[in-house]
Amino acid sequence: MIEKPVDEILDRLEARSPQRASPGSAIGLEPSWRRDPFTMLIATVLSQRTRDECTWIASEKLFSEYGTPRALMNAPEESITAAIGAVNFHKGKARAIKEIARIIHEEHHDAVPSDIEGLMALPMVGRKTANCVLAYAFEKDAICVDTHVHRISNRIGLVRSAGPDGTEEQLKVVVPRPRWRSVNELMVRFGQEICTPLRPKHDLCPIQEFCDTFLQESGRTGR
Ligand code: SF4
């Protein structure tokens, strides 16, 4: 694999747009609720396999009524389901976030675990969600590999990996540690607007000269 100028790539993504992703936000829509590790954890669970606009609607409704572990744990499951009706799999998510709230209130004294093992012990919290919470809520060095980060990193040729865990592992080698947290917030909006899953907009891309996919498709070199 040809070595990539990772800092230059991230600098250009940073310069491309002031829009940054964060749990519960969508393009042009910022959350109105208080951001703390608990609300950011719940918003990240809500966002699984769901469009950002729908997560924004659901989290606005949910946190206007139940913004603390105690309030959410005591809420009727049907009310939670109704509040988060905009997201996919809302019934299962309602059950899971009520249980998350109970565990955090009863077993962690209202403090969200700040390590990956503690987070992954919670219902519906896998590696991606845990890393998102570590990066966004606790500002720890973590790379949250969602579908955009996985796709874009492989297209550019920063990594060569069939799955998100491998992508995370390889990104941790090539991306300087102080920039780990910014990978997700930069690539999510870039992946929604430019490097889209279908028909990526190569002509609008500020990093095309470094991208293996573009170089291959345009008949130049690449990986
Ligand atoms: S050149 Fe195309 S495939 Fe490569 S990062 Fe840019 S938009 Fe994505």
Side-chain angles (χ1 to χ4, degrees), residues 152 155-156 190 194-196 200-202 205-208 211 213-214:
I152 295 165
R155 278 181 176 170
I156 297 170
F190 179 61
I194 307 286
C195 194
T196 46
K201 302 176 181 72
H202 302 314
C205 180
I207 54 171
Q208 56 170 231
C211 174
T213 301
F214 174 75

Side-chain angles (χ1 to χ4, degrees), residues 100-167:
I100 290 173
R102 186 197 66 74
I103 294 169
I104 288 175
H105 180 66
E106 292 182 351
E107 299 177 19
H108 298 280
H109 310 289
D110 284 342
V112 173
S114 60
D115 59 281
I116 196 148
E117 294 79 16
L119 284 163
M120 287 178 68
L122 298 168
M124 283 193 83
V125 178
R127 197 165 178 89
K128 178 189 79 174
T129 297
N131 274 323
C132 276
V133 174
L134 291 177
Y136 286 105
F138 291 105
E139 300 189 354
K140 289 196 169 189
D141 297 335
I143 303 181
C144 172
V145 178
D146 67 358
T147 178
H148 297 292
V149 173
H150 177 63
R151 179 182 71 255
I152 295 165
S153 302
N154 276 279
R155 278 181 176 170
I156 297 170
L158 289 174
V159 302
R160 227 182 271 182
S161 161
D165 290 358
T167 296

